[in-house]
Each structure stands twice: as structure tokens, then as C-alpha cells.
Amino acid sequence: MRITATIITTMGITTMGTARIPTPDAPVDDPTLARLLNWLSPAFPTGGFAYSHGLEWAVQAGDVTDVATLVAWIGDLLSCGSLRNDLILARAAWQARDGEELVSLARIGCALASSRERWEETTRQGEAFLRGVAVWGVEIAGRGTPGVAWPLPVAHGAALGTCGAGERHTLVASATAVTAGLVSAAVRLVPLGQTDALRALAALERPIAAAVAAAQGQGIADLGGLCFRADLAAMHHETQETRLFRT
């Protein structure tokens, strides 16, 4: 649910100070579908190619060595780790009614970062994402509040909700973009071939769908995680001697 206080004309809709309430499973029209594809594309300038979410250390430690271990690692993040929390935050941001609520979610998202590198990864990508969508005339209520950084899942949920994307489509697109980025990192780290990368993406479709379905029944009170090894990987990465990625 979204209260739109800006003028949006690129979709053929002009609203100002009125309520736009997209339904969770509404059909996606062509302009909105184009935005989903553009904004969540690897080519969108968020700098995501520079981050591995701790995966670089996991590869060095021998935790991730092939397609099966990569799918298991990312699947755990989706079911009980940081990516699960990201989906809950993205959904809450999609539903947010005003800037005050979005600012609160941004602060919660920052507080959930388990390390400095995790905080930098999510906030730098989130800020870059919001700068990018501003080209479409999309401005997020509450942005510019002093001392507030914008985590990527909150930016995703707020921006896609504003442009009219449904809740489920927003969550699927966000989760798919993030997991595809991790698979891309694994191609360079393990290393994996392109065909193995495609096998990983195919195998992750069901975990993504399950994580999205679970997130649609969860709220802020359900935030939390059990992927301690992944959190430790993000912490250890800071002192890793040889690094390709920033996190």
C-alpha cells in the first residue's frame, strides 16, 4: 500500500497527494514490467558487482566449492538468514504509508547489518538504487532525513511500491536480483562455468518462491536470523588478505 505524494506521468498516470493502492497480485502493465526489468537488472548502476555478501570468505574457507554448496548457502540465507530479513523489510517498505514509517524501516535495516561490511554493502547499493530511480522522477518519502542511510531492500520496496508494482512481484524481483548477484560472484570466486551458474539459478527458483511466500505472512516482529556462519563470513572478510570484492 502506498500513498503517492509526487507527480508520476511516465506511466500515463498523473497523481498528486492521492492514494495509489496496488493489490498484491495485480497484473503488471507494460510500463511497470519494464521498470521491474530495468531497475532490477544487473546493468542498473548500484555497484552490486563489487559485493559478495561474505561469499568470498566462504569460498576461501571451503564452505562453497560447487553448484550444490552454493545453492545450499544462498538457500539458507533465503530461508533463515539475511536475505529472509531483506524480504520482510522490502514487503514492509512496499506497504509503508508515509516517510516517517520508511525512515523507521531504513533504521531497522541498518541496525540488522551484522558487520561494517554488511552495512556498507546494503546502504551503498540502496542509496545508488534511489539515485538511479530518481531519473524516472521517483522520489521516496523521507529520503534526505539527516543521519538516515537507505538499505537496499527498503529502497526496493519503497520504489517499486511507488511505481505500482504488486507486492509479490516486488519481492520476487528483489530476491531474484540479489541471488543472481551472488551467483555471479561465485562464477568468479569458485570458479564456476556459465552452465553451472545457470544450474544454480534454476535450482534457486524454488527457494526464492518459498522465501517470498513466507515473507508475505511475516512482519517486522519476525525479523531475525540463524545463519551465523554467513554473518561470520562477512566479518572475517574484512581481514582477508586476498580479496576481489568489497564485502
Side-chain angles (χ1 to χ4, degrees):
M1 189 173 294
R2 168 73 52 203
I3 300 297
T4 300
T6 58
I7 300 176
I8 302 175
T9 58
T10 55
M11 293 173 55
I13 303 171
T14 301
T15 62
M16 186 169 183
T18 59
R20 296 182 70 245
I21 308 177
T23 57
D25 298 312
V28 180
D29 59 25
D30 289 345
T32 302
L33 177 59
R35 288 188 179 193
L36 279 170
L37 294 174
N38 282 324
W39 292 0
L40 281 303
S41 164
F44 202 76
T46 62
F49 63 88
Y51 301 99
S52 82
H53 205 66
L55 185 61
E56 185 165 19
W57 184 87
V59 171
Q60 178 177 287
D63 291 355
V64 176
T65 58
D66 54 19
V67 173
T69 50
L70 174 64
V71 170
W73 183 273
I74 298 175
D76 286 345
L77 291 175
L78 285 164
S79 64
C80 57
S82 56
L83 301 188
R84 169 185 176 272
N85 286 336
D86 285 355
L87 285 170
I88 294 173
L89 286 169
R91 178 175 183 254
W94 185 91
Q95 294 177 326
R97 294 174 178 270
D98 54 42
E100 183 178 350
E101 191 172 354
L102 285 171
V103 166
S104 176
L105 289 170
R107 287 175 170 148
I108 291 172
C110 288
L112 284 170
S114 58
S115 65
R116 178 186 60 82
E117 287 197 357
R118 281 277 178 89
W119 181 86
E120 290 181 351
E121 177 179 310
T122 190
T123 57
R124 288 179 179 176
Q125 288 188 85
E127 295 283 356
F129 181 80
L130 292 180
R131 287 194 299 271
V133 301
V135 173
W136 277 260
V138 175
E139 293 293 338
I140 303 304
R143 188 168 180 238
T145 301
V148 177
W150 290 82
L152 185 61
V154 176
H156 279 173
L160 292 172
T162 295
C163 85
E167 177 185 295
R168 181 170 58 85
H169 297 131
T170 293
L171 299 184
V172 170
S174 180
T176 299
V178 173
T179 55
L182 293 180
V183 171
S184 177
V187 169
R188 289 167 277 173
L189 290 168
V190 173
L192 295 179
Q194 294 297 330
T195 301
D196 277 343
L198 294 177
R199 291 190 179 104
L201 291 174
L204 285 166
E205 288 180 352
R206 288 185 180 275
I208 288 172
V212 167
Q216 287 191 282
Q218 295 169 331
I220 296 302
D222 299 297
L223 289 168
L226 293 172
C227 286
F228 302 123
R229 183 73 170 175
D231 291 338
L232 289 172
M235 296 175 191
H236 285 308
H237 183 269
E238 183 177 350
T239 57
Q240 194 170 336
E241 289 187 8
T242 303
R243 299 189 299 175
L244 295 177
F245 293 86
R246 300 179 68 173
T247 65

